[in-house]
Amino acid sequence: EEQLVQSGAEVKKPGESLKISCKASGYRFTTYWIAWVRQMPGKGLEWMGIIYPGDSDTRYSPSFQGQVTISADKSINTVYLQWSSLKASDTAIYYCARHSAYCSGGNCFPAWLDPWGQGTLVTVSS
Amino acid sequence: DIVMTQSPDSLAVSLGERATINCRSSQSVLHRPTNNNYLAWYQQKPGQPPKMLIYWASTRKSGVPDRFSGSGSGTDFTLTISSLQTEDVAVYYCQQYHTTPPTFGQGTRVEIQ
């Protein structure tokens, strides 16, 4: 079964650092993009960025560029999302999800997201 | 970024009746060389992660009930639930993947009337 399993809920104070994880299984980890998606309390879905574990090529949404870092360790089929200094506004559920891809003109691009991890609730409060 | 706008924000439908959700993109997500529309639909039930239902605007994922169908092209798309069931109560999102970053609609909440 293809699945993504995320690390558990976190409670942090503003200014603290954090790294959450997403472990993939059931498919060839290095050949699919993995995305991180934010869902703030009671709100919709926001695509943050992606990583291609095969070569660690990483792309960020302009809204999240410089705010978070996405990385991968292909030896353990795991992708990470990290913050160096959390803010209260980072309180949200963070999902990892695998991108299917479409290819055009010799390049491949992220498409739909399936499957999704179960989500990691990050609470930032003083 | 392509802006995705869904309508309505919420709707209440009687059991067994049809539910229709609209999604409009700020620019076309049709890839003319392939005639594919780069649009997906997701279902998110309370307390759960989203689940992908439909991709390429109208291709149903294996295992998704056939009461779910997607249609449309260019900038205007529709997700239809032909006969609403209790288990379909959820928030539904459209997502374009024509341009990076992929972007989602704001979501449409479907409830039982």
Side-chain angles (χ1 to χ4, degrees):
Chain A
E1 180 192 4
E2 300 171 338
Q3 64 176 351
L4 301 173
V5 178
Q6 298 183 227
S7 50
E10 302 274 1
V11 179
K12 291 289 189 179
K13 291 181 167 42
E16 292 186 331
S17 62
L18 176 64
K19 192 174 190 177
I20 62 175
S21 67
C22 168
K23 184 173 178 61
S25 62
Y27 71 95
R28 192 172 174 187
F29 177 68
T30 53
T31 59
Y32 286 88
W33 296 89
I34 295 278
W36 287 98
V37 177
R38 183 175 77 175
Q39 188 167 41
M40 299 178 76
K43 301 299 184 183
L45 305 170
E46 301 173 271
W47 189 91
M48 302 173 69
I50 50 175
I51 188 164
Y52 190 77
D55 60 7
S56 290
D57 182 17
T58 308
R59 306 177 191 180
Y60 297 91
S61 168
S63 299
F64 292 93
Q65 179 81 48
Q67 308 304 308
V68 295
T69 302
I70 297 172
S71 59
D73 184 341
K74 57 187 179 183
S75 70
I76 54 171
N77 287 8
T78 300
V79 171
Y80 302 97
L81 177 67
Q82 68 180 83
W83 296 259
S84 58
S85 180
L86 286 159
K87 302 184 284 287
S89 57
D90 292 318
T91 295
I93 298 174
Y94 293 87
Y95 294 102
C96 63
R98 188 186 73 179
H99 261 299
S100 289
Y102 68 91
C103 298
S104 176
N107 294 310
C108 293
F109 303 91
W112 57 90
L113 292 156
D114 181 57
W116 293 62
Q118 82 277 20
T120 296
L121 174 61
V122 174
T123 303
V124 184
S125 174
S126 54
Chain B
D1 297 2
I2 296 179
V3 177
M4 307 299 290
T5 304
Q6 293 181 226
S7 62
D9 288 333
S10 65
L11 75 160
V13 175
S14 300
L15 281 173
E17 295 300 305
R18 179 184 301 262
T20 301
I21 301 167
N22 301 302
C23 173
R24 175 167 289 176
S25 56
S26 61
Q27 62 190 74
S28 176
V29 298
L30 172 65
H31 186 237
R32 293 199 177 276
T34 59
N35 205 36
N36 283 327
N37 286 281
Y38 289 12
L39 187 108
W41 287 96
Y42 300 85
Q43 175 193 64
Q44 186 177 30
K45 296 181 180 181
Q48 295 185 19
K51 290 184 179 178
M52 196 269 289
L53 299 175
I54 288 170
Y55 57 100
W56 296 129
S58 60
T59 302
R60 199 181 306 115
K61 178 186 174 183
S62 175
V64 172
D66 61 6
R67 63 181 180 272
F68 291 93
S69 63
S71 63
S73 185
T75 61
D76 291 284
F77 300 90
T78 300
L79 175 70
T80 301
I81 310 172
S82 61
S83 175
L84 191 73
Q85 305 300 305
T86 305
E87 60 266 31
D88 301 334
V89 169
V91 178
Y92 293 84
Y93 295 93
C94 60
Q95 175 232 329
Q96 68 80 20
Y97 46 92
H98 182 277
T99 305
T100 300
T103 47
F104 295 90
Q106 81 276 17
T108 294
R109 185 176 304 276
V110 175
E111 299 171 327
I112 304 293
Q113 190 167 56

